[in-house]
């Protein structure tokens, strides 16, 4: 499903989306949170993406706009703008901070399908571990750029995990739009993944990791040992599988030095 969304799109993409969205079951609501007082460079482009999705889904997907001061903003713990939140059969914390463009567009479409069916592609062992050990609000921040081909894998993992356990907030963060935050976390390569528990940074790693590795990181953040079955799965993975999935953030970013 690797479609990327340029700002201009063609009939072919429209047809592909119609085909994909024919599989939607329950209606999907996309909540779009905006801060009217802040500059939003890509809001028009985001609006185009949302319009395209709404039209090609035969209106099975609805977009609901909120401003920063709306009660929904607090209800859904939205603390940065612009933000997109995808709800379907249920309300999970499947979130996008910044535009779901470029390679992220494919992740966005897959999330919409998952939210609509409520079915999530996670192994029983992974599901069990996430449900058993992730007991507090846990935020998985995935810093991305639209041109990074591996980033959607990390975003999708965070979002699939968010569908397994509502304590998990799966957050795509577009590093160029949220450059201050990216600087704070020293994002020089993407995807960069930060795990927070109760608002406290616990650990970070780079790359699009296979599920067992990713879950091992989450459990490590909790100070929990990985269950035996997952240890075996992890042992079967080569370390190069993770390292190959990292790419440097563009040159124009992060040129200022921190003293």
């Amino acid at each position: 499903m690797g479609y990327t969304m340029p700002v201009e799109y063609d009939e072919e993409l429209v047809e592909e989306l119609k085909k994909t969205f024919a599989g939607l079951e329950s209606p999907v609501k996309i909540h779009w949170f905006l801060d009217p007082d802040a500059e939003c460079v890509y809001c028009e482009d985001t609006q185009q993406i949302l319009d395209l999705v709404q039209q090609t889904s035969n209106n099975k997907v609805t977009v609901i706009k909120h401003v920063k001061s709306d009660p929904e903003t607090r209800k859904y713990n939205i603390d940065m703008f612009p933000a997109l939140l995808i709800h379907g059969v249920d309300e999970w914390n499947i979130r996008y901070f910044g535009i779901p463009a470029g390679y992220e567009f494919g992740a966005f479409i897959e999330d919409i399908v998952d939210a609509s069916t409520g079915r999530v592609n996670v192994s029983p062992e992974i599901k069990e571990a996430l449900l058993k050990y992730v007991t507090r609000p846990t935020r998985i921040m995935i810093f991305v750029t639209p041109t990074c081909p591996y980033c959607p894998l990390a975003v999708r993992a965070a979002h699939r995990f968010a569908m397994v356990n509502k304590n998990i907030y799966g957050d795509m963060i577009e590093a160029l739009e949220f450059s201050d935050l990216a600087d704070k976390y020293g994002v020089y390569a993407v995807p960069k993944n930060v795990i927070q528990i109760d608002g406290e940074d616990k650990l970070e790693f780079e790359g699009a990791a296979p599920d067992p590795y990713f879950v091992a990181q989450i459990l490590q953040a909790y100070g929990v040992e990985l269950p035996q079955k997952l240890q075996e799965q992890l042992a079967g993975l080569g370390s190069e599988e993770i390292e190959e999935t990292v790419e440097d953030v563009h040159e124009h970013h992060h040129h200022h030095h921190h003293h």
Side-chain angles (χ1 to χ4, degrees):
M1 232 274 289
Y3 4 96
T4 60
M5 171 73 191
V7 177
E8 305 293 318
Y9 54 86
D10 54 17
E11 203 43 51
E12 197 183 341
L13 179 63
V14 170
E15 288 314 308
E16 264 185 80
L17 288 174
K18 282 182 176 165
K19 244 181 253 164
T20 300
F21 288 146
L24 296 182
E25 292 171 17
S26 303
V28 172
K29 288 191 174 86
I30 299 175
H31 296 274
W32 192 18
F33 297 87
L34 299 157
D35 178 355
D37 302 321
E39 185 195 16
C40 182
V41 184
Y42 299 109
C43 278
E44 276 179 37
D45 292 343
T46 302
Q47 181 73 62
Q48 277 193 356
I49 289 173
L50 295 172
D51 288 346
L52 175 68
V53 164
Q54 204 163 327
Q55 287 156 16
T56 52
S57 75
N58 206 356
N59 292 318
K60 264 233 155 100
V61 178
T62 339
V63 177
I64 305 152
K65 270 190 187 178
H66 308 280
V67 292
K68 190 177 177 177
S69 56
D70 287 353
E72 285 83 359
T73 305
R74 182 173 293 171
K75 178 183 175 184
Y76 295 121
N77 301 309
I78 302 295
D79 56 357
M80 304 192 297
F81 305 87
L84 294 159
L85 174 66
I86 301 174
H87 286 160
V89 183
D90 202 344
E91 296 192 350
W92 303 278
N93 300 301
I94 300 173
R95 314 195 304 179
Y96 285 80
F97 293 94
I99 189 168
Y103 284 104
E104 291 309 323
F105 181 69
F108 190 59
I109 300 306
E110 290 177 17
D111 283 340
I112 289 169
V113 174
D114 279 3
S116 173
T117 64
R119 290 190 291 277
V120 60
N121 180 20
V122 169
S123 77
E125 296 87 10
I126 298 280
K127 193 171 181 172
E128 190 185 354
L130 290 173
L131 285 168
K132 184 173 174 183
Y133 298 111
V134 180
T135 51
R136 306 206 296 282
T138 301
R139 188 172 191 175
I140 303 174
M141 299 156 77
I142 314 277
F143 287 93
V144 309
T145 58
T147 53
C148 156
Y150 297 110
C151 285
L153 296 170
V155 169
R156 284 282 291 149
H159 288 164
R160 286 183 294 112
F161 298 166
M163 283 183 72
V164 169
N165 185 333
K166 290 187 185 181
N167 284 323
I168 297 176
Y169 292 76
D171 293 352
M172 179 211 85
I173 300 170
E174 207 281 279
L176 308 177
E177 284 173 80
F178 291 91
S179 57
D180 290 352
L181 195 64
D183 282 347
K184 181 188 157 185
Y185 285 105
V187 178
Y188 297 102
V190 286
K192 172 139 188 185
N193 316 297
V194 177
I195 299 172
Q196 281 181 353
I197 301 173
D198 284 328
E200 197 186 318
D201 294 336
K202 289 294 185 185
L203 62 82
E204 47 185 61
F205 64 100
E206 286 173 354
D211 283 5
Y213 181 89
F214 206 139
V215 171
Q217 300 296 313
I218 297 171
L219 297 196
Q220 193 184 326
Y222 271 92
V224 169
E225 200 175 326
L226 200 62
Q228 189 60 40
K229 265 188 188 164
L230 289 176
Q231 281 186 24
E232 286 161 16
Q233 287 179 19
L234 196 55
L237 298 169
S239 59
E240 68 283 351
E241 280 191 51
I242 293 150
E243 274 135 39
E244 280 172 6
T245 65
V246 180
E247 69 164 44
D248 291 331
V249 174
H250 295 321
E251 293 296 301
H252 65 262
H253 196 218
H254 295 291
H255 268 306
H256 37 270
H257 297 286
H258 300 286
H259 298 296

